[in-house]
Amino acid sequence: MDDLSLLEHLGEQSARLCEVTRTDSASVMRLLADLLGPAGSTALSEGPSWSSGIADDHTPVEFSVAFNTYGGPSLRILGEALASPAGTTANLAAAYRFIGAQADRFGLTTSRLARVRDLFASPDPNAVFALWFSLVFPPGQQPEFKIYLNPELRGADRAPDLVAEATRRLGVDAAYRAIVERACRSGELGRGDRLSFFALDLHDGPHARIKLYLSQYDAERSDVVHAAGLVDGIDTSELAAFCAVAGGGPGPYSGRPLVSSYTLAPGVAKPIGYSLYVPVRSYVRDDDEARDRVAILLDHFGFDATQLDAVIAAVARRSLHEGPGLIAHASLRLGPPRPGVTVYLSSEAYRAGARSARPVPVS
Ligand code: TRP
């Protein structure tokens, strides 16, 4: 068996994903190499150099493909910049170096980040992460960058105050208060309802977003329907149907949490966009079942489900029967800028037995 490096492994998968999504793979490879730094050249057999929270097996990268209502599917990469040696604080410094290196090339805007950066600057040594990236590759366009900051970097109990201050500085605190008062379950903020990510787009186009993620543990489907109902224009029956198909029923969801994200806009008293992320892998027997559920969802929302199999084949190195985990989440994006369904795929670089030189055909 070939012992590929982490970057080679991710490169093979992303090259095939780029074919499906018509993305320039050279640009993807260059960004992956910059992001991973020296960790990119470590052999897979050495195991992960950092216990990244991005994926269950600590691969510091997760792929996703967004099926869009307007336009073709697009590739996205969730990733963590890795320092050598890695650690939450050292990785944060590597993340800022990565931003610095890309800022000129891609004309990134960091003014919003600059206003809150100090709040998210000193993670506890045991914090899961300090800053993650989402790299979005709209076909034929320049990549877009989003960062995720960790509101729980100094403990789950301190996250609400931290987000209150960050949203105040960015002029979106009214929408934050609406989430706390009207979306969260009563008495659960900082307990069962956790503020898991605070995200900023690093551009200043008309769709530049500020997003807040709410992870609800042991939730019923009705809890997320309630949480989504805060946002105007949400079709809550579609949302309920999506949740039931992706998660296999009404709940309670006692495995990984259901996650809601809210788009916040300055001067608007409520969030203006909503997405639901269902951690499918916690609620299926294996990836065959996960694939079938996502295919039903794509079909229901008018997307070409045959593209799903191409996407899975691009990443899979094992049979889907072997167990769950390849399809990590499925999400429903409601409202602008890009409504649609997204499927999240684990690279499984470090999953035992998942490595073979050739991908296993998916039937
Ligand atoms: N692996 C983490 C989790 O499952 C973080 C994560 C990766 C995540 N991709 C995600 C969280 C998509 C929500 C949605 O929680």
Side-chain angles (χ1 to χ4, degrees), residues 52-56 62 78 132 196-197 213 215 217 256-257 259 277-279 281 328-329 331 344:
S52 179
I54 296 246
D56 298 347
E62 180 187 68
L78 176 68
W132 285 346
S196 39
F197 306 99
Y213 291 68
S215 296
Y217 290 77
R256 289 188 178 76
V259 182
Y277 308 79
V278 179
R281 66 197 187 284
H329 283 88
S331 89
Y344 292 76

Side-chain angles (χ1 to χ4, degrees), residues 1-344:
M1 194 195 300
D2 292 350
D3 192 10
L4 299 177
S5 72
L6 176 60
L7 191 61
E8 285 166 339
H9 171 85
L10 295 169
E12 287 189 357
Q13 291 172 319
S14 49
R16 286 192 294 268
L17 285 169
C18 284
E19 274 177 42
V20 181
T21 57
R22 300 170 190 278
T23 307
D24 171 27
S25 65
S27 152
V28 174
M29 271 309 275
R30 179 166 172 195
L31 285 170
L32 279 175
D34 282 3
L35 188 69
L36 298 175
S41 50
T42 57
L44 294 183
S45 59
E46 290 177 48
S49 60
W50 163 244
S51 56
S52 179
I54 296 246
D56 298 347
D57 70 346
H58 305 311
T59 308
V61 160
E62 180 187 68
F63 300 109
S64 58
V65 173
F67 292 83
N68 301 309
T69 305
Y70 314 106
S74 51
L75 173 65
R76 312 186 327 170
I77 291 177
L78 176 68
E80 181 165 20
L82 297 183
S84 157
T88 315
T89 302
N91 293 351
L92 178 60
Y96 280 112
R97 284 196 297 276
F98 177 75
I99 294 172
Q102 311 309 326
D104 290 342
R105 260 179 85 203
F106 295 107
L108 305 184
T109 304
T110 52
S111 51
R112 276 181 297 268
L113 171 60
R115 273 145 72 191
V116 298
R117 178 172 168 162
D118 62 300
L119 298 173
F120 298 93
S122 358
D124 282 350
N126 62 348
V128 175
F129 77 103
L131 195 162
W132 285 346
F133 291 93
S134 171
L135 312 174
V136 182
F137 299 93
Q141 290 173 42
Q142 291 247 318
E144 294 170 8
F145 294 69
K146 182 161 84 176
I147 55 159
Y148 300 86
L149 299 163
N150 181 1
E152 298 190 338
L153 84 167
R154 282 188 282 137
D157 51 328
R158 294 172 75 168
D161 284 348
L162 209 156
V163 173
E165 175 61 12
T167 54
R168 193 190 60 73
R169 291 190 191 174
L170 296 172
V172 293
D173 44 329
Y176 171 59
R177 279 194 302 276
I179 293 168
V180 170
E181 286 160 18
R182 295 170 54 191
C184 290
R185 292 172 291 180
S186 140
E188 289 292 340
L189 182 63
R191 298 187 180 85
D193 286 2
R194 290 170 50 178
L195 302 173
S196 39
F197 306 99
F198 185 68
L200 300 171
D201 281 343
L202 297 185
H203 64 83
D204 59 4
H207 295 309
R209 287 165 306 170
I210 301 169
K211 287 176 75 177
L212 180 63
Y213 291 68
L214 176 69
S215 296
Q216 299 192 289
Y217 290 77
D218 288 308
E220 310 272 347
R221 178 179 58 161
S222 55
D223 294 319
V224 296
V225 169
H226 171 77
L230 169 63
V231 183
D232 288 336
I234 296 299
D235 184 336
T236 48
S237 62
E238 285 287 29
L239 184 79
F242 182 93
C243 187
V245 172
Y253 286 80
S254 48
R256 289 188 178 76
L258 296 173
V259 182
S260 293
S261 79
Y262 294 96
T263 306
L264 315 179
V268 186
K270 281 188 190 184
I272 57 164
Y274 177 87
S275 299
L276 173 68
Y277 308 79
V278 179
V280 184
R281 66 197 187 284
S282 287
Y283 302 98
V284 288
R285 189 179 56 244
D286 59 26
D287 278 302
D288 249 339
E289 189 176 13
R291 181 251 166 233
D292 289 347
R293 291 190 191 173
V294 175
I296 290 169
L297 293 170
L298 288 174
D299 201 50
H300 176 79
F301 286 93
F303 300 110
D304 176 4
T306 61
Q307 282 182 320
L308 174 64
D309 293 321
V311 162
I312 292 172
V315 179
R317 299 297 225 278
R318 62 172 174 86
S319 126
L320 301 185
H321 290 300
E322 224 173 80
L326 188 72
I327 298 180
H329 283 88
S331 89
L332 180 64
R333 292 171 281 120
L334 295 166
R338 296 187 187 107
V341 170
T342 306
V343 51
Y344 292 76

